Amino acid sequence: MTTLADPPATSQAPPTARARRAPGRPRRSRAGRTMKAGPLAYAILGVAVLFSAFPFYWTIVAASRSNADLASVPPALLPGPHLIRNFEAVLAEADIGKALLNSLIVSGSITLGTVLCCTLAGFAFAKLRFRGRGALLAVTVGMMMIPPQLGVIPLFMLIAELGWVNQLQAVILPGLVSAFGVFFMRQYLVQSLPDELIEAARVDGASTARIFWSIVVPIARPGMAVLGLLTFMAAWNDFFWPIVALSSSEPTVQVALRQLGGGYVQDQSVIMAGTLLGTLPVLLVFVLLGRQIVGGIMQGAVKG
């Protein structure tokens, strides 16, 4: 009597399983597949770039035209020949050179202080264990919801008691730490800094300060660059607190721009020329640091 034999153990597997187990064959995952943009994506990006760049282009056009050209209908859409003359008018009406220097000192000091202090605080909230950490973090996040205008009067009273009115430290010191910067660096370090690195450094006998300078700062460099750029732009463009704490003898760029184009009819071309001068340093900082910032963020994302 014959019976059907069981299929041999070496029977062929489905082609898909064989393909997955075949040695030496590269795997292609959906996550690693390169996606190509279509014409619609390029059209949307082009429109977005035009809308984003048009205000700066219009600033150049207005700064190189006369006030009569700007009042004409339709307005001029191409740069004119009066850019140098308008720059000379800006230098004659306001001490724009001193204002640029003051803004550079204020913005640079606030940026360095904010990046350092917020990185330290973010590291403490992200990786150190101490009593009251959750409550302090909640207070820090809650401070982001308080309008800064509510603290102007008590802050000015404090500055007046210290004798710092019309001095640059009156603008620098209140901005050395920001709640947003602390929360930003805390979130960045929670995702980018492995606990194993800190534990290994502790085993090797490293102190907290050594861990911060040798491990935390190199890992947090992309986040520090982003925070530094955002802080520099905010400090450079700040108008409300500098006009309260400073006078026309020690202006920042935004305070100095208020003195331009005075008269019965405001000269909009001179105002736009001063605005262009005040915008160029911010663009220069972004051109110098933009590639490093984007490259650092992308490198951190790929490593993660």
Side-chain angles (χ1 to χ4, degrees):
M1 182 177 180
T2 61
T3 59
L4 295 176
D6 294 333
T10 58
S11 61
Q12 294 184 351
T16 56
R18 276 204 319 272
R20 284 197 297 266
R21 290 196 300 265
R25 183 172 297 181
R27 295 183 179 183
R28 298 187 61 184
S29 61
R30 183 177 300 178
R33 187 172 50 193
T34 303
M35 300 182 65
K36 296 182 179 180
L40 180 60
Y42 283 109
I44 295 175
L45 289 176
V47 172
V49 169
L50 289 178
F51 273 99
S52 301
F54 181 77
F56 181 69
Y57 174 75
W58 173 248
T59 302
I60 297 176
V61 173
S64 61
R65 291 281 180 173
S66 63
N67 209 31
D69 293 337
L70 298 181
S72 62
V73 179
L77 296 178
L78 295 176
H82 303 297
L83 182 62
I84 303 300
R85 188 185 69 180
N86 291 335
F87 282 162
E88 294 175 351
V90 170
L91 297 177
E93 294 183 15
D95 194 357
I96 198 69
K98 186 176 183 180
L100 287 172
L101 179 60
N102 289 342
S103 288
L104 184 61
I105 294 174
V106 170
S107 302
S109 302
I110 290 177
T111 300
L112 292 177
T114 299
V115 170
L116 178 60
C117 296
C118 292
T119 305
L120 281 167
F123 168 60
F125 281 125
K127 298 300 177 180
L128 300 183
R129 301 294 181 264
F130 55 91
R131 184 176 300 177
R133 185 183 66 165
L136 290 176
L137 182 60
V139 171
T140 302
V141 175
M143 291 176 61
M144 297 170 56
M145 306 176 187
I146 301 176
Q149 291 79 6
L150 295 180
V152 169
I153 294 178
L155 183 58
F156 184 80
M157 294 174 62
L158 176 61
I159 294 300
E161 288 291 333
L162 295 174
W164 289 352
V165 177
N166 197 27
Q167 297 182 20
L168 294 182
Q169 59 262 32
V171 182
I172 294 174
L173 292 181
L176 289 181
V177 181
S178 67
F180 167 76
V182 173
F183 180 74
F184 176 82
M185 292 307 302
R186 187 260 178 190
Q187 295 299 111
Y188 185 88
L189 292 174
V190 165
Q191 299 294 330
S192 302
L193 180 60
D195 295 335
E196 291 78 7
L197 287 178
I198 299 178
E199 294 174 0
R202 293 290 190 192
V203 171
D204 292 339
S207 62
T208 303
R210 180 63 182 274
I211 291 174
F212 177 78
W213 291 111
S214 300
I215 297 177
V216 177
V217 171
I219 293 178
R221 193 170 297 163
M224 295 169 66
V226 174
L227 179 61
L229 179 61
L230 296 177
T231 304
F232 184 87
M233 292 178 61
W236 186 274
N237 295 325
D238 189 18
F239 173 77
F240 182 69
W241 177 242
I243 201 174
V244 172
L246 302 177
S247 65
S248 57
S249 61
E250 288 290 339
T252 58
V253 168
Q254 309 306 324
V255 177
L257 293 179
R258 187 176 61 95
Q259 306 173 13
L260 299 178
Y264 183 75
V265 178
Q266 286 190 337
D267 195 340
Q268 298 294 332
S269 61
V270 175
I271 295 176
M272 299 306 287
T275 303
L276 181 61
L277 283 176
T279 307
L280 291 179
V282 179
L283 293 177
L284 180 62
V285 170
F286 182 79
V287 169
L288 293 177
L289 299 180
R291 178 171 295 181
Q292 287 79 2
I293 292 172
V294 176
I297 293 175
M298 294 302 297
Q299 183 179 4
V302 171
K303 287 183 179 180

